[in-house]
Amino acid sequence: MPCDIVVPAAVERSITASNAPHFQCKIVAEGANGPTTPAGEEELEKKGILVLPDLLMNAGGVTVSYFEYVKNLGHIRPGQLTKRWEAKSKRQFLESIAKFRALNF
């Protein structure tokens, strides 16, 4: 079926040399990890189809996954990072006022 963009986003190695010639799109934006085989990518390039690699298309997900990983290393519950940041910023604000007014909290 003709379309503008195909986004394979579920299974690795799903676009192969055998099914790539049947694609009728302008762009393949790889949402899954490694959805296109090297031979499949060659076939898409022969047809003039632009392939946007998974490395670029998943960059935001990888970044968020890293932050989740760091959070999980510290056994931090959801929302706890926000609470800590808010508490720290409020405390810094109050300390600034106290310094300005020469008061101790």
Side-chain angles (χ1 to χ4, degrees):
M1 173 176 278
C3 64
D4 292 325
I5 301 172
V6 170
V7 182
V11 182
E12 291 180 1
R13 306 177 67 78
S14 59
I15 300 175
T16 63
S18 61
N19 63 12
H22 304 292
F23 278 59
Q24 298 177 16
C25 60
K26 298 174 186 172
I27 299 172
V28 172
E30 297 180 336
N33 291 328
T36 308
T37 64
E41 189 168 349
E42 285 180 21
E43 291 296 324
L44 293 173
E45 287 176 1
K46 285 180 190 175
K47 292 187 66 153
I49 297 173
L50 175 65
V51 178
L52 301 175
D54 57 344
L55 180 71
L56 296 176
M57 299 307 295
N58 290 329
V62 171
T63 303
V64 170
S65 293
Y66 171 75
F67 289 130
E68 288 176 349
Y69 167 75
V70 170
K71 184 180 76 169
N72 290 336
L73 284 178
H75 303 290
I76 300 170
R77 293 176 300 174
Q80 195 65 28
L81 287 176
T82 304
K83 287 179 186 177
R84 287 182 186 175
W85 181 83
E86 287 174 353
K88 183 179 178 180
S89 63
K90 287 177 185 177
R91 180 156 181 80
Q92 288 175 340
F93 178 70
L94 291 174
E95 286 174 354
S96 297
I97 292 172
K99 283 181 184 178
F100 181 73
R101 298 195 64 201
L103 298 173
N104 290 323
F105 285 120

